[in-house]
Amino acid sequence: MFLLKQRKFFFTTTVAAIILALGTTSTGNADYPKFLKFPKFHNQPLFGGRVKNVILFIGDGMGDSEITIARNYSVGAAGRLTIDTLPFTGEYTTYSLQEKNPKLPDYVTDSAASGTGWATGNKTSNGRISTTAGTDKDLKTILELAKERGYKTGDVTTAELTDATPAVLLSHVSDRSCQGPQDTANCPQDKKSAGGPGSIAEQSIDHNVDVLLGGGKQRYSQTIDGGQFAGKSVIDAAKAQGYQIVTNAAQLQAVQPASRLLGLFSPGNMSLEWGGQPAIPYPGSGPQRCLENQRPADEPSLAEMTSKAISLLEQKADRGGFFLQVEGASIDKRDHAGNPCEQIGETVALDRAVKVALEYAKQHPDTLIIVTADHAHTSQIIPPPTATDHSPGKYSTLITADQAEMTVNYATNLPDNSQEHTGTQVRIAAHGPQGANVVGVLDQTDLFHIIARAIGAE
């Protein structure tokens, strides 16, 4: 009887909280109120619980279609990926703003604008990194807020560390292309020689993030053009500011938490996990099974980087907490390329990294884990094409874990061109204290407030 009463109370209070939350209008971005009519995340969390650590996973381009493709292929239609097991699930909208008229939405976001949304709680235009559309003002990020509150911080990606998604946490530039000191043609006002904060690479070091792991060594090897470290490379500046530099998997595993860590495992983006035939116009490629275990042994996997980052941050935090973002970047990049095997391999790699975090959370139940995407993408599961009934896009047929054939279609651009993002809402899921705040339909900017409240910043 007592248990029944508890369940009734749980249900009643939950419904009441959700109704109350839906009854308020959003004021999350005062500059553009006309376009923020989604329900506001309520002033009090739907479910409480102390949060010590926050681990945010971003599957770049990992829309519901990409998740379904990876599930069907790797575990079967009736199977479940690790990310499918998170107990709280919702969706969020991803639109950005028009640069020339920020009062109007841009329905298809890029990774820079979408990342700025969850990193700062503000929408911006495509291409901007944590700066406002039109006015180019810096927007404080959730990582900066976490550092102010004594949290240890980490940023992990399979892309270049200066790519848009990792960059939104630790830099402010007008154009995402300004990745290294010699890449600043599109943001001259941000150059250190002009009195600005420098490129994304320079700012990532100056922010004193505790753990930085990913690709992009070519950006950090560039020469700084102004300020204290003028004439030196960004790597040299990092060493001078207390960073240990590692460049392969063995070095990463040997690292101790005595200093800050910069891991640069590739000149550009890190290597892919899987390979396979790309999609081609009708009749398409395949049927095929993918080639697994393609990553070079000297590059750590996303799961290995996640495990090491958690271990280092936990030890450095001692009795405090940490905030860590982990990005599976090349789901998006291989979706652009129209290669389903490579896309699936990167989705599975992110899923394995999420499993690492969930295992950690079993022993540390005050850890909030959130898994989401920055935007949706092009790949779709369609019926097998025929000579008289097929899309003008390109196809590949895969043999799934069910031993059935699955046709994947890419048709958001001409077959030889890079495929496009799409503007549909994407999944957000959570595990741990305050995780129920992701349920329902939210906007990307709400994720900032969910994390800010979890770390006591709101």
Side-chain angles (χ1 to χ4, degrees):
M1 179 62 71
F2 176 71
L3 181 60
L4 180 61
K5 289 181 178 179
Q6 278 191 318
R7 288 175 176 171
K8 287 182 178 179
F9 176 76
F10 179 86
F11 177 79
T12 302
T13 54
T14 300
V15 171
I18 292 173
I19 291 172
L20 187 57
L22 296 178
T24 58
T25 57
S26 176
T27 57
N29 186 333
D31 291 336
Y32 319 113
K34 179 179 178 182
F35 298 101
L36 297 178
K37 296 179 180 179
F38 48 84
K40 178 178 169 57
F41 176 59
H42 187 52
N43 286 338
Q44 296 296 324
L46 300 185
F47 295 93
R50 180 178 180 273
V51 176
K52 180 180 179 182
N53 311 306
V54 179
I55 307 175
L56 172 62
F57 287 92
I58 303 295
D60 199 309
M62 190 180 71
D64 284 342
S65 183
E66 285 70 31
I67 294 172
T68 307
I69 291 168
R71 180 193 304 121
N72 288 352
Y73 180 86
S74 61
V75 295
R80 292 295 179 263
L81 299 167
T82 299
I83 58 177
D84 294 326
T85 67
L86 274 67
F88 303 112
T89 304
E91 297 277 319
Y92 69 22
T93 52
T94 65
Y95 66 93
S96 56
L97 302 175
Q98 297 182 21
E99 171 69 13
K100 293 183 178 179
N101 187 356
K103 292 184 179 181
L104 295 179
D106 187 334
Y107 294 113
V108 182
T109 190
D110 77 335
S111 296
S114 65
T116 296
W118 77 71
T120 72
N122 291 270
K123 289 189 176 291
T124 193
S125 58
N126 289 349
R128 286 190 170 274
I129 299 290
S130 297
T131 55
T132 57
T135 55
D136 196 32
K137 296 178 181 178
D138 290 356
L139 296 163
K140 180 165 284 191
T141 74
I142 193 67
L143 183 143
E144 292 169 331
L145 287 173
K147 285 189 67 66
E148 288 177 1
R149 280 150 184 80
Y151 281 73
K152 298 302 179 182
T153 55
D155 204 352
V156 175
T157 181
T158 54
E160 296 182 78
L161 276 165
T162 52
D163 204 2
T165 300
V168 295
L169 293 175
L170 40 74
S171 61
H172 307 271
V173 293
S174 60
D175 192 289
R176 61 181 290 177
S177 67
C178 301
Q179 297 189 51
Q182 271 72 68
D183 305 320
T184 53
N186 292 331
C187 54
Q189 73 278 14
D190 295 318
K191 293 168 65 74
K192 286 207 168 184
S193 59
S199 65
I200 295 168
E202 294 163 273
Q203 292 187 52
S204 70
I205 298 303
D206 293 343
H207 271 76
N208 295 322
V209 181
D210 295 282
V211 178
L212 293 168
L213 302 175
K217 187 177 180 181
Q218 61 178 328
R219 313 293 182 178
Y220 290 81
S221 298
Q222 294 179 17
T223 302
I224 298 171
D225 67 356
Q228 178 183 2
F229 299 106
K232 296 183 179 297
S233 72
V234 183
I235 290 177
D236 290 334
K239 292 177 180 178
Q241 295 181 66
Y243 277 90
Q244 179 179 355
I245 314 299
V246 297
T247 58
N248 60 53
Q251 291 175 353
L252 177 64
Q253 290 307 312
V255 166
Q256 299 299 314
S259 60
R260 289 189 286 271
L261 177 64
L262 173 61
L264 297 169
F265 305 109
S266 176
N269 299 317
M270 294 182 66
S271 300
L272 301 174
E273 293 284 343
W274 292 9
Q277 302 171 36
I280 57 176
Y282 179 81
S285 61
Q288 63 170 318
R289 287 289 293 175
C290 301
L291 303 173
E292 301 184 22
N293 304 315
Q294 300 299 297
R295 173 178 42 83
D298 63 345
E299 286 188 37
S301 68
L302 187 59
E304 289 168 342
M305 290 193 291
T306 301
S307 178
K308 191 64 176 182
I310 290 172
S311 174
L312 293 173
L313 291 171
E314 180 188 26
Q315 293 177 70
K316 290 173 71 69
D318 194 17
R319 295 185 180 180
F322 65 80
F323 168 77
L324 171 64
Q325 178 178 290
V326 178
E327 182 200 20
S330 288
I331 304 166
D332 165 87
K333 299 179 191 306
R334 307 326 298 164
D335 222 330
H336 279 300
N339 191 307
C341 281
E342 294 173 349
Q343 169 190 319
I344 292 168
E346 297 306 297
T347 309
V348 170
L350 179 71
D351 197 60
R352 290 170 178 166
V354 173
K355 185 176 181 180
V356 168
L358 289 174
E359 290 297 320
Y360 174 80
K362 287 181 181 180
Q363 304 301 320
H364 302 83
D366 48 5
T367 299
L368 171 62
I369 297 170
I370 300 173
V371 181
T372 189
D374 51 354
H375 54 74
H377 222 305
T378 182
S379 58
Q380 295 291 320
I381 303 168
I382 64 167
T386 67
T388 58
D389 192 4
H390 63 267
S391 155
K394 52 187 179 179
Y395 311 82
S396 184
T397 298
L398 305 173
I399 302 171
T400 71
D402 297 313
Q403 296 301 305
E405 292 188 359
M406 174 177 67
T407 300
V408 179
N409 177 229
Y410 299 84
T412 53
N413 205 339
L414 297 174
D416 290 337
N417 292 354
S418 176
Q419 298 301 303
E420 299 284 2
H421 300 173
T422 63
T424 189
Q425 64 194 34
V426 297
R427 181 192 296 195
I428 180 170
H431 168 96
Q434 301 189 31
N437 290 304
V438 307
V439 300
V441 179
L442 309 173
D443 182 75
Q444 258 173 348
T445 53
D446 288 325
L447 178 52
F448 169 85
H449 297 292
I450 290 169
I451 298 175
R453 291 175 185 184
I455 66 173
E458 288 187 353

